[in-house]
Amino acid sequence: MKKSLLLFVALLATSAVSLAQDTYFIKHPWGGGEWTWKQMQLSDDPDLAAYDMDGNVIDHPYIVEGIYGGDGCNINTTASDEGSKWIAEPFSRFELEVGEKCVFAYLPHINDLSILPEYEAKVRAVFDHPFGTYDGPQNVHVSITGAEEVLSIEYMIYTENDPDFTYYPYDDNVGINITETCELYVHADYIYDGKVRENGWAYPYTINQAPTGVNDLNVTVTSKAVKTIENGQLVITKDDKRYNAAGQLMK
């Protein structure tokens, strides 16, 4: 099954932002029917926020649940066409179907609208040591919530100098050893609403203490990888080759 990663908008920024106090409305042909406005609600959901490379929140989302209607959306601070912003192609990692239950998430500071299938928005990865900054190595355990049944969990550790894109089976008895600053990617296959689904999550960890050995991937450094943001997505360039955040070679 193709690996997927949760919407993780890693944008360059200098500081975190506080929760905005504006009001936003979204217009869409819900379920393929009439175009109507819905009010969006400010959310402090960390999995839908936008982050900088240091793990600081740079934008909080306004969200609303609705039935996908197969078209773009208007965004405004009032339920009015006048002065609204037209977003013709909201971002989604999935091939959405008209009539599918979705969560619409708008990030006002970067004017980004994403549409997530309901299962992607409601199934979560929970870590006993959340992403952030630590003074030394961490042993991280992860669980998946919101699914009817978890079929498998895999993980990948990405570091600047050790860009190995291999996913490893997760063993809760062992956990995940984070020994240096990295981005931790977790992928899960599970059952939601009676169907097999998949989700991915990507979170940054900063370890201040210099590592005393190699990390648990034990890879050989060949050349430094360079990360850039293109159209809101992480692109990793190494040895003149370009990879997406899941480690897949890009054309």
Side-chain angles (χ1 to χ4, degrees):
M1 183 176 291
K2 182 180 178 181
K3 298 293 185 294
S4 66
L5 294 171
L6 179 70
L7 172 64
F8 181 83
V9 186
L11 299 174
L12 295 177
T14 57
S15 62
V17 298
S18 59
L19 286 173
Q21 298 299 321
D22 298 321
T23 301
Y24 288 95
F25 293 82
I26 182 171
K27 187 178 183 180
H28 184 70
W30 309 104
E34 182 180 357
W35 287 77
T36 57
W37 289 96
K38 285 188 176 184
Q39 184 171 353
M40 310 184 83
Q41 302 297 323
L42 181 62
S43 172
D44 60 358
D45 188 335
D47 282 338
L48 297 180
Y51 296 84
D52 65 16
M53 292 297 187
D54 296 321
N56 300 312
V57 175
I58 61 173
D59 208 354
H60 293 276
Y62 285 79
I63 66 173
V64 69
E65 296 183 7
I67 306 299
Y68 180 63
D71 209 329
C73 302
N74 289 90
I75 299 289
N76 206 350
T77 54
T78 62
S80 171
D81 292 339
E82 184 176 355
S84 66
K85 299 176 183 178
W86 168 245
I87 300 179
E89 297 182 355
F91 174 79
S92 181
R93 295 185 298 103
F94 297 88
E95 193 72 29
L96 300 173
E97 297 181 1
V98 174
E100 187 170 0
K101 296 179 181 178
C102 294
V103 174
F104 295 69
Y106 179 61
L107 295 163
H109 288 85
I110 60 176
N111 191 35
D112 179 85
L113 177 65
S114 297
I115 304 178
L116 297 81
E118 181 184 62
Y119 62 87
E120 185 184 17
K122 295 191 175 183
V123 174
R124 301 298 171 87
V126 178
F127 301 86
D128 61 348
H129 296 290
F131 68 95
T133 301
Y134 294 90
D135 291 332
Q138 300 293 309
N139 182 256
V140 179
H141 290 79
V142 60
S143 59
I144 307 299
T145 64
E148 296 166 13
E149 180 183 353
V150 178
L151 303 176
S152 66
I153 303 175
E154 297 176 310
Y155 72 94
M156 176 183 77
I157 296 177
Y158 172 87
T159 63
E160 289 286 351
N161 293 320
D162 293 348
D164 184 4
F165 298 108
T166 303
Y167 275 84
Y168 295 85
Y170 172 73
D171 183 346
D172 197 53
N173 293 319
V174 178
I176 304 171
N177 291 320
I178 305 294
T179 61
E180 60 183 296
T181 296
C182 67
E183 289 174 8
L184 172 62
Y185 295 86
V186 173
H187 175 269
D189 292 327
Y190 57 88
I191 295 177
Y192 182 91
D193 197 23
K195 298 180 180 179
V196 176
R197 307 287 193 178
E198 62 170 333
N199 265 26
W201 298 265
Y203 293 116
Y205 283 80
T206 299
I207 306 298
N208 290 328
Q209 177 180 314
T212 57
V214 296
N215 64 24
D216 66 338
L217 297 186
N218 195 24
V219 297
T220 301
V221 177
T222 55
S223 63
K224 186 174 182 178
V226 177
K227 293 185 294 183
T228 57
I229 303 300
E230 298 181 12
N231 298 322
Q233 299 184 59
L234 178 65
V235 177
I236 303 167
T237 303
K238 181 179 182 294
D239 296 333
D240 297 323
K241 295 182 180 180
R242 287 155 45 86
Y243 302 86
N244 61 21
Q248 300 163 335
L249 185 66
M250 300 175 64
K251 295 182 179 179

